[in-house]
């Protein structure tokens, strides 16, 4: 921890005693010196650096991609060591980060969801990226404009840039291309078309479902917006608004619209990733999931199933999709020199070239326009045109709330939404349960 002396006479005496010690002994820390000299974020070729990067890519394509990029960066910067610490899940990563912040033993950088970052920023645990962005090794206005606006703004807290977009994704509608082609059916573009198509392709004997998905807060929130819902939380952050006034109608419709199809057996409700088995086995014509699931779906089918993707259907209120994935953040308690190297590594990870590599390996969406429009991804999307549904959906992406209280809301909304779809709760009761839990969580925060 860096201590700043507030009384000038004491500071002056202390500095005289330590006259021949490094300047940081006078309360002038290394970070401040580098800011004033324009060196923040710049690496010294004669120095060595170690960056501890905590992430949640323990296996599969994600792990391969981040390891490949880290090695590529270290090959280009022999004086920098990137230590990847992969945790088995985002929940574990969050738990470990929270404990590390409390113990003042944070990594240099980590993946972070918006609501986590809001909590860490309130605890002064995050380093603002603004000084790095505006420094000599920063980002130009052209660079900033190159990021998709939705994704760039997603990294801001209280008007300040604290994060850069990393493994971002959106939900799309997956479909069995061969099945729809044989039936002479086009992928649905609206909610009413989706419902009609689900009925057409499902089989009454239970041998095929029209749609398989695991209900979560994200699907409910997407349908809520599509049916005309407004904000989720009031501007003063004191109460939820999705159950108030006209919003309540949209909130209920988001639960009620698909319920009859669940009851008839046309939609199969699953738990966790079981929808993937339904879809890859051919038992479900459609599925709802993140674009990041594509490599796993393809691997499960051994490339035998032709998988299509389209943006989620629109409703009377427009077209929406939940914005998934984490951002990259620096921690204020970490070593100053290590943060310089971490910033440089972060810049590398979100560069058009590295981002194009990451997208092709993992299935995540590009975070910069030049990456999407560059030769590598142009060739990639020409080969896999269905995968353009992800980047084409960026403009529809949204995050309901970044407030820490929303984490508690997520769990209750998911269980209540699932119960309403399966007939265990009426939609009115489910909505009231959502509202009560979320309002209680907000009251604790504010």
């Amino acid at each position: 921890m860096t201590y700043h002396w507030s009384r000038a006479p004491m500071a002056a005496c202390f500095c005289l005693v330590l006259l021949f010690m490094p300047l940081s002994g006078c309360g002038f820390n290394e970070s401040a010196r580098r800011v004033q000299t324009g060196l923040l974020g710049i690496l010294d070729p004669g120095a060595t650096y170690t960056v501890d990067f905590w992430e949640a890519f323990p296996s599969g394509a994600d792990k391969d991609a981040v390891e490949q990029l880290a090695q590529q960066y270290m090959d280009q910067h022999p004086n920098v060591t990137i230590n990847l610490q992969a945790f088995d899940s985002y929940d574990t990563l969050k738990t470990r980060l929270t404990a590390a912040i409390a113990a003042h033993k944070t990594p240099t950088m980590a993946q972070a969801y918006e609501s986590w970052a809001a909590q860490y920023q309130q605890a002064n645990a995050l380093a603002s990226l603004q000084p790095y962005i505006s420094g000599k090794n920063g980002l130009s206005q052209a660079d900033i404009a190159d990021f998709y606006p939705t994704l760039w703004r997603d990294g801001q807290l209280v008007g300040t840039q604290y994060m850069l977009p990393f493994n971002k994704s959106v939900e799309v509608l997956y479909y069995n291309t061969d099945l729809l082609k044989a039936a002479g059916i086009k992928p649905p573009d609206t909610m009413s078309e989706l419902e009609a198509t689900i009925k057409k392709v499902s089989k009454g004997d239970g041998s095929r479902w029209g749609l398989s998905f695991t209900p979560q807060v994200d699907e409910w929130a997407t349908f809520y917006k599509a049916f005309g819902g407004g904000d989720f939380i009031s501007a003063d952050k004191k109460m939820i608004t999705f159950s108030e006034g006209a919003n309540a109608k949209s909130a209920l419709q988001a639960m009620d619209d698909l319920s009859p199809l669940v009851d008839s057996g046309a939609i199969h409700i699953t738990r966790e990733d079981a929808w993937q088995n339904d879809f890859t086995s051919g038992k479900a014509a459609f599925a709802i999931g993140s674009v990041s699931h594509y490599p796993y779906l393809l691997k499960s089918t051994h490339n035998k199933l032709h998988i299509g993707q389209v943006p989620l259907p629109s409703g009377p209120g427009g077209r929406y999709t939940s914005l998934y994935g984490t951002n990259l953040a620096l921690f204020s308690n970490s070593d100053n020199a290590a943060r310089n190297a971490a910033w440089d590594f972060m810049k590398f990870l979100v560069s058009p070239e590295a981002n194009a590599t990451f997208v092709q390996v993992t299935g995540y969406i590009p975070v910069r326009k030049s990456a999407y429009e560059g030769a590598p991804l142009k060739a990639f999307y020409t080969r896999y045109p269905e995968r353009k549904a992800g980047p084409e959906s960026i403009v529809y992406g949204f995050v309901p709330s970044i407030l820490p209280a929303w984490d508690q809301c997520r769990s209750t909304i998911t269980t209540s939404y699932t119960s309403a779809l399966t007939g265990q709760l009426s939609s009115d009761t489910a909505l009231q349960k959502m509202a009560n839990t979320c309002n209680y969580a907000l009251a604790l925060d504010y």
Side-chain angles (χ1 to χ4, degrees):
M1 180 179 294
T2 302
Y3 293 89
H4 299 279
W5 298 96
S6 59
R7 296 180 61 186
M10 182 179 292
C13 293
F14 186 65
C15 289
L16 285 172
V17 173
L18 302 179
L19 182 62
F20 297 103
M21 291 187 69
L23 191 57
S24 59
C26 295
F28 190 80
N29 62 38
E30 175 64 10
S31 179
R33 183 185 74 80
R34 295 186 78 86
V35 169
Q36 291 189 11
T37 57
L39 297 177
L40 194 68
I42 295 179
L43 302 185
D44 179 352
T48 58
Y49 302 88
T50 299
V51 174
D52 293 322
F53 178 22
W54 287 12
E55 34 92 1
F57 290 159
S59 62
D62 296 349
K63 176 183 174 67
D64 294 341
V66 75
E67 288 182 350
Q68 176 185 340
L69 291 173
Q71 188 58 56
Q72 184 179 337
Y73 178 84
M74 289 188 287
D75 290 343
Q76 296 173 8
H77 303 81
N79 59 331
V80 180
T81 299
I82 307 294
N83 290 329
L84 298 175
Q85 175 61 64
F87 294 96
D88 62 358
S89 68
Y90 285 120
D91 285 342
T92 300
L93 174 59
K94 181 186 178 184
T95 299
R96 293 295 297 274
L97 283 173
T98 302
I101 290 170
H104 301 288
K105 294 181 179 180
T106 60
T108 323
M109 60 182 286
Q111 290 177 274
Y113 277 105
E114 302 88 352
S115 58
W116 304 2
Q119 186 176 0
Y120 301 157
Q121 188 271 334
Q122 290 173 6
N124 297 317
L126 292 186
S128 168
L129 299 185
Q130 293 294 160
Y132 297 91
I133 291 171
S134 59
K136 290 183 178 179
N137 187 29
L139 296 171
S140 67
Q141 287 303 309
D143 288 329
I144 294 172
D146 189 39
F147 286 90
Y148 288 100
T150 300
L151 304 184
W152 180 258
R153 290 192 299 269
D154 190 57
Q156 295 175 355
L157 299 170
V158 292
T160 299
Q161 202 74 33
Y162 277 93
M163 299 174 286
L164 293 182
F166 181 42
N167 60 311
K168 308 305 289 186
S169 67
V170 291
E171 281 200 311
V172 293
L173 183 67
Y174 287 104
Y175 64 94
N176 184 319
T177 302
D178 295 333
L179 192 156
L180 262 64
K181 186 177 180 180
I185 298 173
K186 292 182 179 180
D189 186 59
T190 66
M191 287 299 294
S192 58
E193 288 177 4
L194 174 65
E195 293 161 27
T197 305
I198 288 173
K199 293 177 183 177
K200 286 181 181 178
V201 298
S202 62
K203 292 187 175 180
D205 61 3
S207 61
R208 185 169 69 213
W209 297 293
L211 170 69
S212 178
F213 81 112
T214 297
Q216 298 182 84
V217 55
D218 305 296
E219 288 80 27
W220 171 81
T222 295
F223 296 147
Y224 164 76
K225 295 291 288 183
F227 286 124
D231 292 336
F232 293 82
I233 295 176
S234 62
D236 62 9
K237 306 174 185 178
K238 291 183 178 180
M239 64 177 288
I240 57 91
T241 55
F242 59 72
S243 64
E244 302 299 314
N247 285 342
K249 180 180 177 181
S250 302
L252 292 170
Q253 191 171 1
M255 290 184 272
D256 291 337
D257 222 52
L258 298 181
S259 294
L261 296 176
V262 175
D263 186 56
S264 70
I267 292 179
H268 187 219
I269 298 300
T270 58
R271 296 174 62 87
E272 298 181 347
D273 292 332
W275 64 269
Q276 297 182 24
N277 297 328
D278 289 350
F279 184 71
T280 56
S281 66
K283 283 206 66 175
F286 292 97
I288 296 174
S290 164
V291 292
S292 63
H293 288 125
Y294 184 83
Y296 302 94
L297 296 175
L298 205 60
K299 185 177 180 181
S300 297
T301 65
H302 304 289
N303 295 321
K304 293 180 180 179
L305 178 69
H306 295 113
I307 302 173
Q309 300 178 39
V310 289
L312 289 179
S314 64
R319 192 186 307 276
Y320 295 90
T321 184
S322 290
L323 184 61
Y324 281 162
T326 66
N327 299 312
L328 297 171
L330 292 178
F331 288 87
S332 58
N333 190 57
S334 60
D335 176 73
N336 291 324
R339 282 207 305 275
N340 281 332
W343 164 253
D344 195 65
F345 180 51
M346 285 171 64
K347 271 191 63 183
F348 166 78
L349 288 177
V350 300
S351 67
E353 298 77 17
N355 186 226
T357 298
F358 187 70
V359 168
Q360 293 177 74
V361 174
T362 64
Y364 287 104
I365 57 176
V367 300
R368 296 179 70 157
K369 301 167 193 171
S370 59
Y372 181 54
E373 297 164 359
L377 284 188
K378 271 190 175 180
F380 177 72
Y381 288 122
T382 297
R383 184 179 179 188
Y384 303 105
E386 70 279 0
R387 299 184 69 171
K388 294 178 71 174
E392 288 173 351
S393 295
I394 293 175
V395 67
Y396 309 122
F398 74 101
V399 175
S401 174
I402 66 170
L403 294 179
W406 188 253
D407 280 350
Q408 294 184 51
C409 293
R410 289 183 62 86
S411 178
T412 297
I413 291 176
T414 293
T415 56
S416 299
Y417 176 43
T418 303
S419 296
L421 286 174
T422 56
Q424 295 173 302
L425 287 178
S426 69
S427 56
D428 288 299
T429 301
L431 182 59
Q432 191 58 54
K433 188 175 180 181
M434 294 176 182
N436 290 343
T437 299
C438 291
N439 278 327
Y440 179 73
L442 286 169
L444 291 179
D445 270 5
Y446 292 91

